[in-house]
Amino acid sequence: MTKHERAQVVASHGRHYVAQTEAGNRLACVTRGKKENPAVGDWITIETVARGQGTMVDISARSNLLYRSDAFRTKLLAANLTQVCIVVATEPSFSAELLERALVAAEALLIPVLIVLNKIDLKAFLTHAQARLDPYRTLGYLRYEVSVKGDPEKCREILLPALAHHTSLFMGQSGMGKSSLLNLLVPNALAATREISEALQTGKHTTTDARLYELPDGSGQIIDTPGFQEFGLAHLSPGQVERAFPELRAYLGQCRFYNCTHLVEPGCAVRRALKDGAISPARYDLFSALTREARGGTTR
Ligand code: GDP
Ligand code: ZN
């Protein structure tokens, strides 16, 4: 008799997954046939085929699914997130464009975002980094300032309450200190990573797409993603792009044309706000670039 069990995907590597059952057992899984791929964070039904191995037969309905895309394909990042935590550092300096693209991806799905500024011990770079981040605070994004290496205890004190009761996606460019932060918050992360690699039967240096970790006291989950240098948003619809800019909300529905793209039309409330200085030119440029991308690059 086959046995069906519910489990959560904790790591993925191509079409191979590791899923953790409600009883805490980890199984190496594959999808059957041409089924849709699950993402880390997904709850799935698995059929146990052998000791430690299973086949996914179904993906449960998810509350959200975060993607990023490039010109050729979309990449699943994670599912069932309750918040996104973007890690930046004072030094090396972070890319504002990558940060904003990550903000847009989360906001388009209405997932709350925390910005973590790490390495505040590097005082010479602190003021500049804070100034670069201030506009996002004005937009309503929470910011936490920590030093993972300089004051680990304080860092835990600040971040653990913010991560409790959440499934948080950790994103960041490489070099920001994201691995250091993960290892601080999840002291057995390295061992868990090794165990997952064994289950996936990949070498220990294989980077997986994402991995889910439990906070030690079971108070929450962290999904870690590999650092990336690009964050394509070609999968967003024009409507999603529009909703992903909180500062635009007050003007939506006030343009002369109900289907205004806010790019070229006369009587556009968004562009009037831009002219009046209520919307930042850099943010409008990103909005306009993403809207053109979402419309297939045709709108001029
Ligand atoms: P990742 O690429 O984002 O995973 O970053 P790592 O965790 O590998 O850290 C990159 C470098 O930054 C390493 O040399 C860390 O020791 C260093 N680092 C991490 N956190 C801090 C911090 O709070 N202060 C300082 N000065 N260096 C840090
Ligand atoms: Zn408009």
Side-chain angles (χ1 to χ4, degrees), residues 87-94 116-119 122 125 129 132-133 175-177:
V87 183
V88 296
T90 51
E91 164 65 24
S93 90
F94 60 89
V116 174
L117 173 60
N118 183 31
K119 309 197 198 183
L122 302 176
F125 304 94
R132 290 183 69 206
L133 290 173
M176 302 290 114

Side-chain angles (χ1 to χ4, degrees), residues 86-100 115-117 125 128-134 136 173-174 176:
I86 304 174
V87 183
V88 296
T90 51
E91 164 65 24
S93 90
F94 60 89
S95 152
E97 174 161 6
L98 272 179
L99 167 63
E100 293 206 43
I115 297 174
V116 174
L117 173 60
F125 304 94
H128 180 62
Q130 285 169 327
R132 290 183 69 206
L133 290 173
D134 280 345
Y136 309 109
Q173 288 167 263
S174 57
M176 302 290 114

Side-chain angles (χ1 to χ4, degrees), residues 255 260-262 265 267-271:
C255 304
C260 186
T261 62
H262 323 300
E265 294 86 340
C268 171
V270 169
R271 292 200 302 138

Side-chain angles (χ1 to χ4, degrees), residues 118-122 146-150 173-181:
N118 183 31
K119 309 197 198 183
I120 58 169
D121 53 297
L122 302 176
V146 300
S147 171
V148 173
K149 294 282 176 188
Q173 288 167 263
S174 57
M176 302 290 114
K178 188 166 58 67
S179 328
S180 308
L181 177 59

Side-chain angles (χ1 to χ4, degrees), residues 47-78:
E47 192 180 290
T48 316
V49 292
R51 212 183 127 80
Q53 287 177 16
T55 303
M56 183 190 84
V57 292
D58 187 41
I59 305 178
S60 303
R62 33 171 88 106
S63 56
N64 54 48
L65 178 59
L66 194 71
Y67 296 92
R68 69 190 177 91
S69 52
D70 58 26
F72 309 104
R73 63 195 199 113
T74 57
K75 214 169 150 44
L76 303 178
L77 275 173

Side-chain angles (χ1 to χ4, degrees), residues 21-34:
T21 63
E22 282 171 321
N25 298 320
R26 294 202 161 165
L27 295 160
C29 296
V30 289
T31 36
R32 181 190 284 162
K34 288 211 174 99

